[in-house]
Amino acid sequence: MKALIQLALIAAVVVVLLRMTTARGARTQAIRRLGMFAFAAFAVYSIIFPSVWVGLARSVGVGRGTDLVLYILVIAFLGYMMSTHLRFREMDVRFTRLSRRIALDEAAARHPEVASRSQGQPAATVMRPEDMTDVPDPEADPSDDPR
């Protein structure tokens, strides 16, 4: 029975890693919200009926309910850590693209003679519209655009 819980925990870790590295977008956010709601509901239930953990732990081969809670929290923390890492990495890429675009726009405004010479052929550092993979914000006010 102990091997069963070990296999289930390892499978849960693998599922968390695969889910966090392959999924993006609204569906992932919806699943995350549903998971948080289920976690909150189960937390309230386990506060009212604490013996549920002991019975659940014994049924999966763990000695104590507190050990099962610890295992589950480790998996939840791993998922949170992976999610946060991916979100920050994506933000870094967006900020880098934004700062490059601003720097190029400011350089062209300050030095129009250089910008006019390179109109025909973009330099290797110039970001073209096809380089931008971000979708424009539909709620953005077009009057705020400085161009």
Side-chain angles (χ1 to χ4, degrees):
M1 199 55 124
K2 189 175 185 179
L4 177 66
I5 187 64
Q6 290 173 333
L7 289 175
L9 291 171
I10 290 170
V13 169
V14 169
V15 166
V16 166
L17 289 174
L18 288 175
R19 184 75 183 144
M20 292 299 150
T21 57
T22 59
R24 301 263 194 280
R27 182 176 181 194
T28 304
Q29 187 175 3
I31 290 172
R32 195 177 303 137
R33 286 181 181 167
L34 287 173
M36 287 299 294
F37 179 74
F39 177 78
F42 194 70
V44 169
Y45 182 79
S46 66
I47 289 169
I48 296 171
F49 304 106
S51 62
V52 71
W53 286 107
V54 176
L56 192 59
R58 287 190 179 144
S59 69
V60 296
V62 178
R64 299 180 308 166
T66 54
D67 292 339
L68 182 62
V69 170
L70 176 66
Y71 296 151
I72 292 171
L73 288 176
V74 165
I75 291 171
F77 179 71
L78 178 64
Y80 172 77
M81 191 173 63
M82 288 296 299
S83 169
T84 303
H85 169 72
L86 292 174
R87 212 172 330 131
F88 280 134
R89 187 173 67 182
E90 187 176 309
M91 259 196 300
D92 283 344
V93 169
R94 291 179 76 184
F95 284 143
T96 301
R97 288 179 178 164
L98 178 64
S99 61
R100 286 177 182 166
R101 179 78 262 157
I102 290 171
L104 291 171
D105 288 347
E106 287 179 359
R110 288 184 183 159
H111 305 284
E113 69 282 355
V114 175
S116 64
R117 275 189 285 170
S118 64
Q119 288 289 333
Q121 294 230 342
T125 57
V126 174
M127 291 188 67
R128 296 172 299 278
E130 58 268 13
D131 293 336
M132 301 298 286
T133 59
D134 298 331
V135 177
D137 186 6
E139 298 177 1
D141 186 10
S143 64
D144 291 343
D145 193 5
R147 290 184 250 168

